[in-house]
mmCIF file of all heavy atoms in Angstrom:
data_model
loop_
_atom_site.group_PDB
_atom_site.id
_atom_site.type_symbol
_atom_site.label_atom_id
_atom_site.label_comp_id
_atom_site.label_asym_id
_atom_site.label_seq_id
_atom_site.Cartn_x
_atom_site.Cartn_y
_atom_site.Cartn_z
ATOM 1 N N LEU A 75 -11.873 -11.272 7.797
ATOM 2 C CA LEU A 75 -10.907 -10.179 7.938
ATOM 3 C C LEU A 75 -9.510 -10.613 7.488
ATOM 4 O O LEU A 75 -8.792 -9.844 6.835
ATOM 5 C CB LEU A 75 -10.873 -9.695 9.387
ATOM 6 C CG LEU A 75 -12.143 -9.001 9.896
ATOM 7 C CD1 LEU A 75 -12.025 -8.685 11.376
ATOM 8 C CD2 LEU A 75 -12.424 -7.730 9.099
ATOM 9 N N VAL A 76 -9.133 -11.843 7.841
ATOM 10 C CA VAL A 76 -7.802 -12.358 7.488
ATOM 11 C C VAL A 76 -7.628 -12.434 5.975
ATOM 12 O O VAL A 76 -6.523 -12.226 5.450
ATOM 13 C CB VAL A 76 -7.564 -13.736 8.137
ATOM 14 C CG1 VAL A 76 -6.386 -14.450 7.513
ATOM 15 C CG2 VAL A 76 -7.335 -13.578 9.634
ATOM 16 N N LEU A 77 -8.702 -12.707 5.239
ATOM 17 C CA LEU A 77 -8.605 -12.772 3.776
ATOM 18 C C LEU A 77 -8.690 -11.387 3.140
ATOM 19 O O LEU A 77 -7.825 -11.013 2.329
ATOM 20 C CB LEU A 77 -9.717 -13.655 3.206
ATOM 21 C CG LEU A 77 -9.791 -13.676 1.676
ATOM 22 C CD1 LEU A 77 -8.550 -14.337 1.075
ATOM 23 C CD2 LEU A 77 -11.053 -14.356 1.175
ATOM 24 N N TYR A 78 -9.715 -10.609 3.482
ATOM 25 C CA TYR A 78 -10.014 -9.393 2.716
ATOM 26 C C TYR A 78 -9.118 -8.206 3.050
ATOM 27 O O TYR A 78 -8.834 -7.392 2.168
ATOM 28 C CB TYR A 78 -11.480 -9.018 2.883
ATOM 29 C CG TYR A 78 -12.409 -9.950 2.160
ATOM 30 C CD1 TYR A 78 -13.295 -10.769 2.847
ATOM 31 C CD2 TYR A 78 -12.391 -10.033 0.773
ATOM 32 C CE1 TYR A 78 -14.142 -11.646 2.186
ATOM 33 C CE2 TYR A 78 -13.230 -10.906 0.093
ATOM 34 C CZ TYR A 78 -14.108 -11.706 0.814
ATOM 35 O OH TYR A 78 -14.938 -12.572 0.148
ATOM 36 N N VAL A 79 -8.651 -8.095 4.281
ATOM 37 C CA VAL A 79 -7.783 -6.959 4.612
ATOM 38 C C VAL A 79 -6.478 -7.018 3.823
ATOM 39 O O VAL A 79 -6.103 -6.032 3.167
ATOM 40 C CB VAL A 79 -7.533 -6.888 6.143
ATOM 41 C CG1 VAL A 79 -6.452 -5.859 6.461
ATOM 42 C CG2 VAL A 79 -8.819 -6.537 6.884
ATOM 43 N N PRO A 80 -5.746 -8.178 3.811
ATOM 44 C CA PRO A 80 -4.538 -8.228 2.962
ATOM 45 C C PRO A 80 -4.859 -8.147 1.471
ATOM 46 O O PRO A 80 -4.072 -7.570 0.702
ATOM 47 C CB PRO A 80 -3.917 -9.594 3.312
ATOM 48 C CG PRO A 80 -4.482 -9.962 4.630
ATOM 49 C CD PRO A 80 -5.870 -9.388 4.648
ATOM 50 N N MET A 81 -5.997 -8.730 1.029
ATOM 51 C CA MET A 81 -6.355 -8.686 -0.389
ATOM 52 C C MET A 81 -6.560 -7.253 -0.854
ATOM 53 O O MET A 81 -6.037 -6.840 -1.900
ATOM 54 C CB MET A 81 -7.632 -9.509 -0.633
ATOM 55 C CG MET A 81 -8.038 -9.595 -2.088
ATOM 56 S SD MET A 81 -9.609 -10.451 -2.342
ATOM 57 C CE MET A 81 -9.120 -12.145 -2.089
ATOM 58 N N VAL A 82 -7.309 -6.489 -0.084
ATOM 59 C CA VAL A 82 -7.535 -5.077 -0.428
ATOM 60 C C VAL A 82 -6.228 -4.298 -0.347
ATOM 61 O O VAL A 82 -5.928 -3.460 -1.208
ATOM 62 C CB VAL A 82 -8.600 -4.465 0.507
ATOM 63 C CG1 VAL A 82 -8.698 -2.953 0.292
ATOM 64 C CG2 VAL A 82 -9.956 -5.114 0.269
ATOM 65 N N GLY A 83 -5.422 -4.595 0.679
ATOM 66 C CA GLY A 83 -4.137 -3.908 0.831
ATOM 67 C C GLY A 83 -3.218 -4.139 -0.353
ATOM 68 O O GLY A 83 -2.588 -3.194 -0.863
ATOM 69 N N LEU A 84 -3.131 -5.395 -0.831
ATOM 70 C CA LEU A 84 -2.282 -5.704 -1.978
ATOM 71 C C LEU A 84 -2.795 -5.015 -3.240
ATOM 72 O O LEU A 84 -2.025 -4.455 -4.018
ATOM 73 C CB LEU A 84 -2.223 -7.216 -2.199
ATOM 74 C CG LEU A 84 -1.375 -7.698 -3.377
ATOM 75 C CD1 LEU A 84 0.091 -7.345 -3.161
ATOM 76 C CD2 LEU A 84 -1.542 -9.205 -3.585
ATOM 77 N N SER A 85 -4.112 -5.038 -3.442
ATOM 78 C CA SER A 85 -4.704 -4.408 -4.617
ATOM 79 C C SER A 85 -4.445 -2.904 -4.619
ATOM 80 O O SER A 85 -4.072 -2.322 -5.645
ATOM 81 C CB SER A 85 -6.201 -4.692 -4.664
ATOM 82 O OG SER A 85 -6.800 -4.099 -5.786
ATOM 83 N N MET A 86 -4.630 -2.273 -3.465
ATOM 84 C CA MET A 86 -4.398 -0.827 -3.373
ATOM 85 C C MET A 86 -2.927 -0.487 -3.568
ATOM 86 O O MET A 86 -2.584 0.539 -4.176
ATOM 87 C CB MET A 86 -4.869 -0.312 -2.000
ATOM 88 C CG MET A 86 -6.374 -0.397 -1.770
ATOM 89 S SD MET A 86 -7.351 0.574 -2.949
ATOM 90 C CE MET A 86 -7.914 -0.729 -4.058
ATOM 91 N N THR A 87 -2.035 -1.337 -3.065
ATOM 92 C CA THR A 87 -0.600 -1.103 -3.206
ATOM 93 C C THR A 87 -0.197 -1.112 -4.680
ATOM 94 O O THR A 87 0.564 -0.259 -5.141
ATOM 95 C CB THR A 87 0.202 -2.165 -2.430
ATOM 96 O OG1 THR A 87 -0.155 -2.115 -1.051
ATOM 97 C CG2 THR A 87 1.698 -1.917 -2.560
ATOM 98 N N HIS A 88 -0.727 -2.100 -5.439
ATOM 99 C CA HIS A 88 -0.374 -2.204 -6.856
ATOM 100 C C HIS A 88 -0.964 -1.064 -7.674
ATOM 101 O O HIS A 88 -0.365 -0.629 -8.667
ATOM 102 C CB HIS A 88 -0.853 -3.546 -7.415
ATOM 103 C CG HIS A 88 0.128 -4.657 -7.208
ATOM 104 N ND1 HIS A 88 1.247 -4.824 -7.984
ATOM 105 C CD2 HIS A 88 0.168 -5.650 -6.283
ATOM 106 C CE1 HIS A 88 1.931 -5.864 -7.571
ATOM 107 N NE2 HIS A 88 1.308 -6.388 -6.544
ATOM 108 N N ARG A 89 -2.119 -0.553 -7.271
ATOM 109 C CA ARG A 89 -2.787 0.475 -8.073
ATOM 110 C C ARG A 89 -2.334 1.887 -7.712
ATOM 111 O O ARG A 89 -2.232 2.739 -8.578
ATOM 112 C CB ARG A 89 -4.307 0.363 -7.909
ATOM 113 C CG ARG A 89 -4.892 -0.849 -8.626
ATOM 114 C CD ARG A 89 -6.398 -0.862 -8.578
ATOM 115 N NE ARG A 89 -6.925 -2.000 -9.341
ATOM 116 C CZ ARG A 89 -7.159 -1.984 -10.642
ATOM 117 N NH1 ARG A 89 -6.924 -0.888 -11.335
ATOM 118 N NH2 ARG A 89 -7.619 -3.053 -11.258
ATOM 119 N N PHE A 90 -2.094 2.141 -6.410
ATOM 120 C CA PHE A 90 -1.865 3.521 -5.977
ATOM 121 C C PHE A 90 -0.505 3.754 -5.328
ATOM 122 O O PHE A 90 -0.182 4.900 -4.992
ATOM 123 C CB PHE A 90 -2.961 3.944 -4.989
ATOM 124 C CG PHE A 90 -4.353 3.790 -5.538
ATOM 125 C CD1 PHE A 90 -5.227 2.849 -5.003
ATOM 126 C CD2 PHE A 90 -4.777 4.580 -6.599
ATOM 127 C CE1 PHE A 90 -6.512 2.701 -5.518
ATOM 128 C CE2 PHE A 90 -6.056 4.440 -7.116
ATOM 129 C CZ PHE A 90 -6.930 3.496 -6.577
ATOM 130 N N ALA A 91 0.290 2.696 -5.124
ATOM 131 C CA ALA A 91 1.597 2.880 -4.476
ATOM 132 C C ALA A 91 2.689 2.153 -5.261
ATOM 133 O O ALA A 91 3.519 1.454 -4.704
ATOM 134 C CB ALA A 91 1.541 2.373 -3.030
ATOM 135 N N ARG A 92 2.655 2.325 -6.586
ATOM 136 C CA ARG A 92 3.626 1.636 -7.431
ATOM 137 C C ARG A 92 5.057 2.081 -7.147
ATOM 138 O O ARG A 92 6.008 1.353 -7.413
ATOM 139 C CB ARG A 92 3.294 1.878 -8.912
ATOM 140 C CG ARG A 92 1.990 1.232 -9.345
ATOM 141 C CD ARG A 92 1.710 1.510 -10.804
ATOM 142 N NE ARG A 92 0.412 0.979 -11.214
ATOM 143 C CZ ARG A 92 -0.117 1.139 -12.412
ATOM 144 N NH1 ARG A 92 0.537 1.841 -13.331
ATOM 145 N NH2 ARG A 92 -1.294 0.629 -12.709
ATOM 146 N N ASN A 93 5.234 3.292 -6.648
ATOM 147 C CA ASN A 93 6.572 3.811 -6.372
ATOM 148 C C ASN A 93 7.040 3.502 -4.953
ATOM 149 O O ASN A 93 8.109 3.964 -4.547
ATOM 150 C CB ASN A 93 6.603 5.330 -6.590
ATOM 151 C CG ASN A 93 6.319 5.691 -8.047
ATOM 152 O OD1 ASN A 93 6.734 4.981 -8.960
ATOM 153 N ND2 ASN A 93 5.640 6.817 -8.256
ATOM 154 N N ALA A 94 6.240 2.749 -4.217
ATOM 155 C CA ALA A 94 6.644 2.375 -2.864
ATOM 156 C C ALA A 94 7.832 1.421 -2.921
ATOM 157 O O ALA A 94 8.156 0.845 -3.966
ATOM 158 C CB ALA A 94 5.483 1.721 -2.128
ATOM 159 N N SER A 95 8.484 1.237 -1.792
ATOM 160 C CA SER A 95 9.641 0.331 -1.714
ATOM 161 C C SER A 95 9.256 -1.072 -2.173
ATOM 162 O O SER A 95 8.169 -1.546 -1.851
ATOM 163 C CB SER A 95 10.144 0.280 -0.268
ATOM 164 O OG SER A 95 11.031 -0.794 -0.090
ATOM 165 N N PRO A 96 10.121 -1.743 -2.956
ATOM 166 C CA PRO A 96 9.832 -3.128 -3.356
ATOM 167 C C PRO A 96 9.559 -4.045 -2.179
ATOM 168 O O PRO A 96 8.777 -4.983 -2.289
ATOM 169 C CB PRO A 96 11.107 -3.546 -4.101
ATOM 170 C CG PRO A 96 11.722 -2.279 -4.580
ATOM 171 C CD PRO A 96 11.384 -1.251 -3.540
ATOM 172 N N LEU A 97 10.185 -3.739 -1.040
ATOM 173 C CA LEU A 97 9.960 -4.559 0.153
ATOM 174 C C LEU A 97 8.505 -4.493 0.605
ATOM 175 O O LEU A 97 7.953 -5.476 1.095
ATOM 176 C CB LEU A 97 10.882 -4.092 1.286
ATOM 177 C CG LEU A 97 10.858 -4.920 2.576
ATOM 178 C CD1 LEU A 97 11.266 -6.364 2.296
ATOM 179 C CD2 LEU A 97 11.778 -4.291 3.624
ATOM 180 N N VAL A 98 7.871 -3.326 0.418
ATOM 181 C CA VAL A 98 6.461 -3.164 0.783
ATOM 182 C C VAL A 98 5.586 -4.080 -0.075
ATOM 183 O O VAL A 98 4.707 -4.786 0.434
ATOM 184 C CB VAL A 98 6.013 -1.692 0.618
ATOM 185 C CG1 VAL A 98 4.505 -1.558 0.819
ATOM 186 C CG2 VAL A 98 6.770 -0.798 1.592
ATOM 187 N N HIS A 99 5.846 -4.102 -1.399
ATOM 188 C CA HIS A 99 5.068 -4.940 -2.313
ATOM 189 C C HIS A 99 5.240 -6.424 -1.983
ATOM 190 O O HIS A 99 4.266 -7.185 -1.957
ATOM 191 C CB HIS A 99 5.496 -4.670 -3.762
ATOM 192 C CG HIS A 99 5.072 -3.344 -4.274
ATOM 193 N ND1 HIS A 99 3.849 -3.133 -4.885
ATOM 194 C CD2 HIS A 99 5.696 -2.144 -4.265
ATOM 195 C CE1 HIS A 99 3.747 -1.859 -5.248
ATOM 196 N NE2 HIS A 99 4.850 -1.240 -4.886
ATOM 197 N N VAL A 100 6.469 -6.834 -1.729
ATOM 198 C CA VAL A 100 6.751 -8.243 -1.427
ATOM 199 C C VAL A 100 6.099 -8.648 -0.109
ATOM 200 O O VAL A 100 5.511 -9.728 0.009
ATOM 201 C CB VAL A 100 8.273 -8.487 -1.379
ATOM 202 C CG1 VAL A 100 8.587 -9.879 -0.828
ATOM 203 C CG2 VAL A 100 8.867 -8.338 -2.768
ATOM 204 N N THR A 101 6.198 -7.773 0.885
ATOM 205 C CA THR A 101 5.600 -8.077 2.196
ATOM 206 C C THR A 101 4.090 -8.205 2.096
ATOM 207 O O THR A 101 3.495 -9.130 2.648
ATOM 208 C CB THR A 101 5.967 -6.971 3.217
ATOM 209 O OG1 THR A 101 7.392 -6.876 3.315
ATOM 210 C CG2 THR A 101 5.370 -7.294 4.586
ATOM 211 N N MET A 102 3.446 -7.284 1.355
ATOM 212 C CA MET A 102 1.992 -7.344 1.197
ATOM 213 C C MET A 102 1.559 -8.613 0.480
ATOM 214 O O MET A 102 0.566 -9.255 0.849
ATOM 215 C CB MET A 102 1.496 -6.115 0.412
ATOM 216 C CG MET A 102 1.560 -4.808 1.167
ATOM 217 S SD MET A 102 0.581 -4.815 2.690
ATOM 218 C CE MET A 102 -1.056 -5.163 2.051
ATOM 219 N N ALA A 103 2.326 -9.023 -0.554
ATOM 220 C CA ALA A 103 1.982 -10.249 -1.291
ATOM 221 C C ALA A 103 2.114 -11.481 -0.406
ATOM 222 O O ALA A 103 1.265 -12.384 -0.437
ATOM 223 C CB ALA A 103 2.879 -10.385 -2.522
ATOM 224 N N ASN A 104 3.162 -11.515 0.398
ATOM 225 C CA ASN A 104 3.367 -12.673 1.283
ATOM 226 C C ASN A 104 2.282 -12.757 2.355
ATOM 227 O O ASN A 104 1.802 -13.854 2.675
ATOM 228 C CB ASN A 104 4.751 -12.605 1.937
ATOM 229 C CG ASN A 104 5.870 -12.958 0.978
ATOM 230 O OD1 ASN A 104 5.702 -13.796 0.098
ATOM 231 N ND2 ASN A 104 7.016 -12.314 1.128
ATOM 232 N N ILE A 105 1.890 -11.615 2.898
ATOM 233 C CA ILE A 105 0.812 -11.605 3.901
ATOM 234 C C ILE A 105 -0.499 -12.070 3.270
ATOM 235 O O ILE A 105 -1.235 -12.890 3.833
ATOM 236 C CB ILE A 105 0.654 -10.197 4.508
ATOM 237 C CG1 ILE A 105 1.884 -9.842 5.347
ATOM 238 C CG2 ILE A 105 -0.613 -10.120 5.376
ATOM 239 C CD1 ILE A 105 1.885 -8.405 5.843
ATOM 240 N N TYR A 106 -0.782 -11.560 2.065
ATOM 241 C CA TYR A 106 -2.019 -11.898 1.359
ATOM 242 C C TYR A 106 -2.118 -13.401 1.079
ATOM 243 O O TYR A 106 -3.186 -14.013 1.224
ATOM 244 C CB TYR A 106 -2.070 -11.084 0.063
ATOM 245 C CG TYR A 106 -2.976 -11.636 -1.005
ATOM 246 C CD1 TYR A 106 -4.341 -11.783 -0.797
ATOM 247 C CD2 TYR A 106 -2.465 -11.970 -2.267
ATOM 248 C CE1 TYR A 106 -5.174 -12.270 -1.800
ATOM 249 C CE2 TYR A 106 -3.296 -12.448 -3.266
ATOM 250 C CZ TYR A 106 -4.648 -12.602 -3.029
ATOM 251 O OH TYR A 106 -5.464 -13.082 -4.008
ATOM 252 N N LEU A 107 -1.003 -14.025 0.702
ATOM 253 C CA LEU A 107 -1.019 -15.437 0.306
ATOM 254 C C LEU A 107 -0.810 -16.400 1.455
ATOM 255 O O LEU A 107 -1.234 -17.558 1.391
ATOM 256 C CB LEU A 107 0.039 -15.686 -0.776
ATOM 257 C CG LEU A 107 -0.215 -14.983 -2.117
ATOM 258 C CD1 LEU A 107 0.984 -15.120 -3.032
ATOM 259 C CD2 LEU A 107 -1.462 -15.547 -2.780
ATOM 260 N N LEU A 108 -0.163 -15.954 2.530
ATOM 261 C CA LEU A 108 0.155 -16.864 3.638
ATOM 262 C C LEU A 108 -0.761 -16.708 4.846
ATOM 263 O O LEU A 108 -0.966 -17.663 5.600
ATOM 264 C CB LEU A 108 1.612 -16.668 4.073
ATOM 265 C CG LEU A 108 2.677 -17.201 3.119
ATOM 266 C CD1 LEU A 108 4.072 -16.794 3.593
ATOM 267 C CD2 LEU A 108 2.588 -18.705 2.984
ATOM 268 N N ALA A 109 -1.313 -15.504 5.044
ATOM 269 C CA ALA A 109 -2.120 -15.277 6.247
ATOM 270 C C ALA A 109 -3.348 -16.190 6.339
ATOM 271 O O ALA A 109 -3.562 -16.845 7.364
ATOM 272 C CB ALA A 109 -2.528 -13.806 6.345
ATOM 273 N N PRO A 110 -4.195 -16.286 5.286
ATOM 274 C CA PRO A 110 -5.385 -17.152 5.420
ATOM 275 C C PRO A 110 -5.072 -18.632 5.673
ATOM 276 O O PRO A 110 -5.642 -19.227 6.593
ATOM 277 C CB PRO A 110 -6.112 -16.942 4.084
ATOM 278 C CG PRO A 110 -5.675 -15.598 3.618
ATOM 279 C CD PRO A 110 -4.244 -15.502 4.029
ATOM 280 N N PRO A 111 -4.160 -19.269 4.902
ATOM 281 C CA PRO A 111 -3.890 -20.686 5.166
ATOM 282 C C PRO A 111 -3.289 -20.955 6.538
ATOM 283 O O PRO A 111 -3.504 -22.026 7.109
ATOM 284 C CB PRO A 111 -2.887 -21.068 4.060
ATOM 285 C CG PRO A 111 -3.052 -20.058 2.997
ATOM 286 C CD PRO A 111 -3.427 -18.792 3.701
ATOM 287 N N VAL A 112 -2.537 -19.989 7.064
ATOM 288 C CA VAL A 112 -1.913 -20.172 8.377
ATOM 289 C C VAL A 112 -2.898 -19.867 9.503
ATOM 290 O O VAL A 112 -3.006 -20.608 10.491
ATOM 291 C CB VAL A 112 -0.653 -19.287 8.513
ATOM 292 C CG1 VAL A 112 -0.125 -19.311 9.952
ATOM 293 C CG2 VAL A 112 0.436 -19.756 7.548
ATOM 294 N N MET A 113 -3.641 -18.770 9.360
ATOM 295 C CA MET A 113 -4.479 -18.295 10.459
ATOM 296 C C MET A 113 -5.816 -19.031 10.578
ATOM 297 O O MET A 113 -6.332 -19.212 11.686
ATOM 298 C CB MET A 113 -4.736 -16.795 10.309
ATOM 299 C CG MET A 113 -3.510 -15.929 10.499
ATOM 300 S SD MET A 113 -2.701 -16.197 12.098
ATOM 301 C CE MET A 113 -4.028 -15.756 13.221
ATOM 302 N N ASN A 114 -6.413 -19.452 9.458
ATOM 303 C CA ASN A 114 -7.738 -20.086 9.518
ATOM 304 C C ASN A 114 -7.784 -21.319 10.416
ATOM 305 O O ASN A 114 -8.687 -21.438 11.247
ATOM 306 C CB ASN A 114 -8.232 -20.412 8.107
ATOM 307 C CG ASN A 114 -8.697 -19.180 7.355
ATOM 308 O OD1 ASN A 114 -9.002 -18.152 7.963
ATOM 309 N ND2 ASN A 114 -8.745 -19.262 6.036
ATOM 310 N N PRO A 115 -6.848 -22.281 10.273
ATOM 311 C CA PRO A 115 -6.902 -23.444 11.181
ATOM 312 C C PRO A 115 -6.688 -23.062 12.640
ATOM 313 O O PRO A 115 -7.278 -23.678 13.532
ATOM 314 C CB PRO A 115 -5.783 -24.364 10.663
ATOM 315 C CG PRO A 115 -4.927 -23.519 9.808
ATOM 316 C CD PRO A 115 -5.789 -22.446 9.262
ATOM 317 N N ILE A 116 -5.862 -22.041 12.874
ATOM 318 C CA ILE A 116 -5.651 -21.592 14.268
ATOM 319 C C ILE A 116 -6.929 -20.981 14.815
ATOM 320 O O ILE A 116 -7.354 -21.280 15.949
ATOM 321 C CB ILE A 116 -4.488 -20.569 14.314
ATOM 322 C CG1 ILE A 116 -3.170 -21.238 13.919
ATOM 323 C CG2 ILE A 116 -4.374 -19.955 15.717
ATOM 324 C CD1 ILE A 116 -1.999 -20.274 13.796
#
């Protein structure tokens, strides 16, 4: 879940929410790239 939920969210944001706030895109990318390495060992 930690990997695929942000991955799908980022993909959907780039394809269907291009006009969303830049902060949304940056936040989704950071969650996608940082959540698995941080959460998996925990």
Side-chain angles (χ1 to χ4, degrees):
L75 293 175
V76 165
L77 174 66
Y78 288 114
V79 171
M81 183 185 285
V82 172
L84 180 64
S85 180
M86 294 299 102
T87 301
H88 274 282
R89 288 186 177 274
F90 304 113
R92 293 180 184 176
N93 297 324
S95 166
L97 185 60
V98 173
H99 289 271
V100 170
T101 302
M102 289 301 301
N104 286 326
I105 292 173
Y106 159 61
L107 294 171
L108 288 173
V112 171
M113 292 304 300
N114 285 340
I116 295 174

